[in-house]
Amino acid sequence: MKSADTRPILLVALGGNALIRRGETGTVEEQRANLRVPIRQIARLSRDYRILITHGNGPQVGNLLLQQEACTAVPKLPLEVLVAATQGELGYMIGSSLDGELAALGVHPVPMVVSLVTTVVVDGEDPAFAAPEKPVGPLYSAEEAASLPYPLAEVPGGRRRVVASPRPLTIVEKRQIRTLIDLGFIVICCGGGGIPVIRNGRGTRGVEAVIDKDLASACLAEEVGADILLIATDVPGAALDYGTEQELFLGTVTVKEARDALAQGHFPPGSMGPKVEAALLFLASGGKRALITAVDEIEMGLAGTAGTEISGG
């Protein structure tokens, strides 16, 4: 089914700071208040774009892991099930916030909002499984770490569990997502990078891993034919020499300039690196625009007056 709606498809990838900001405890009240900033902008943009929303889940899944460690009265759940739980939790909060903002703005016709639990296929032979390095969950002392059954890494303040972060290959529900877009829905999906699964015959099975949210968003954007990928984060954009006296935030840069800066180490792994890589992958797959902006400058980024845009030139 082909939609008669010709508005461009915009995928907004919300960082974890969209819900919990630095220094906050992460109460529901704080998260709802923080969501108003990006969601109000997305509601306004829904007049001109068909919209997909993806989101991070780092603080929320970390809280669930911490709760599991503090309670022995119930069985512990595997990581992929906790990712699914946070997809439901955050999908509910994002969706209800968006419904409220759409009503407050008087957007008509009112777009329907749906949150979809999403699975993402990874390669069971991905090298990341042999060298897990993504920290998750609580800090442990040396004594606590000695009795734990999973790999840990030294981090400031103690030790943390580390898991694999394999690359996303395909979004299992991509056809359903595209159908929902064509039916006029705003779709919230791929929360936390998606639930990581590997192929098991004609089916799939979950694995203990986390998928980078931005790379999964680029994969989704390609597979559903999005026109624009906008990654919203807690800094104004991508920067050269970030955190130094020579820090320089970038405006519009070419693919070559962005790729060269990535190779030179200006965009570290685990922070800006995956965002720039996701933008480059999206453009290489035929995407029209790729932007990295602050959460409170989503509209300005699309207007070309804020953030970093990587151009196809």
Side-chain angles (χ1 to χ4, degrees):
M1 179 187 66
K2 187 173 182 179
S3 173
D5 191 341
T6 59
R7 292 175 302 160
I9 298 174
L10 166 65
L11 191 156
V12 179
L14 296 175
N17 66 297
L19 287 97
I20 300 178
R21 302 197 176 215
R22 293 176 187 177
E24 294 181 340
T25 58
T27 66
V28 170
E29 291 75 18
E30 286 174 338
Q31 294 185 66
R32 286 192 181 278
N34 292 336
L35 270 175
R36 291 191 192 105
V37 174
I39 294 304
R40 188 165 294 160
Q41 297 175 81
I42 291 171
R44 288 192 291 259
L45 290 167
S46 70
R47 295 185 174 109
D48 300 316
Y49 298 92
R50 291 176 285 169
I51 291 177
L52 281 168
I53 302 171
T54 63
H55 59 86
N57 72 339
Q60 292 81 11
V61 82
N63 286 344
L64 291 181
L65 286 166
L66 183 58
Q67 290 172 356
Q68 288 200 153
E69 294 300 321
C71 177
T72 59
V74 295
K76 290 180 170 56
L77 298 173
L79 184 57
E80 77 269 15
V81 174
L82 298 182
V83 172
T86 58
Q87 286 191 1
E89 170 193 350
L90 299 178
Y92 159 68
M93 285 199 285
I94 293 169
S96 59
S97 296
L98 185 52
D99 276 331
E101 293 296 338
L102 289 167
L105 288 170
V107 175
H108 184 79
V110 178
M112 298 170 286
V113 182
V114 64
S115 180
L116 188 67
V117 173
T118 316
T119 49
V120 177
V121 175
V122 301
D123 184 354
E125 302 300 318
D126 190 299
F129 286 108
E133 58 182 15
K134 177 70 174 178
V136 297
L139 284 167
Y140 300 103
S141 67
E143 294 75 17
E144 291 170 327
S147 62
L148 295 174
Y150 34 73
L152 296 104
E154 293 280 350
V155 297
R159 293 167 174 79
R160 289 181 75 191
R161 177 184 177 184
V162 288
V163 297
S165 185
R167 297 183 71 84
L169 299 179
T170 186
I171 313 301
V172 175
E173 295 82 9
K174 56 185 176 291
R175 293 183 183 85
Q176 294 93 322
I177 293 168
R178 180 63 205 224
T179 297
L180 288 166
I181 296 168
D182 289 339
L183 288 171
F185 286 85
I186 294 175
V187 186
I188 305 161
C189 56
C190 278
I195 303 163
V197 298
I198 59 174
R199 295 290 186 192
N200 184 22
R202 295 182 63 183
T204 61
R205 66 175 178 85
V207 290
E208 289 287 286
V210 293
I211 302 170
D212 181 84
K213 174 264 302 177
D214 298 308
L215 295 179
S217 297
C219 182
L220 172 66
E222 175 187 356
E223 292 189 321
V224 302
D227 299 282
I228 305 168
L229 172 64
L230 187 147
I231 299 172
T233 185
D234 59 351
V235 293
L240 303 180
D241 299 308
Y242 180 72
T244 72
E245 292 183 357
Q246 291 76 41
E247 177 181 278
L248 175 65
F249 281 98
L250 302 172
T252 300
V253 296
T254 66
V255 164
K256 183 181 185 307
E257 288 169 336
R259 188 178 291 120
D260 288 348
L262 182 64
Q264 292 162 11
H266 284 286
F267 312 130
S271 57
M272 189 54 65
K275 293 172 174 51
V276 173
E277 185 180 356
L280 291 170
L281 288 169
F282 173 65
L283 292 171
S285 72
K288 295 176 182 176
R289 296 182 68 191
L291 306 101
I292 302 168
T293 74
V295 164
D296 57 355
E297 295 180 337
I298 292 172
E299 290 172 294
M300 293 171 63
L302 285 166
T305 59
T308 300
E309 177 160 0
I310 302 175
S311 71

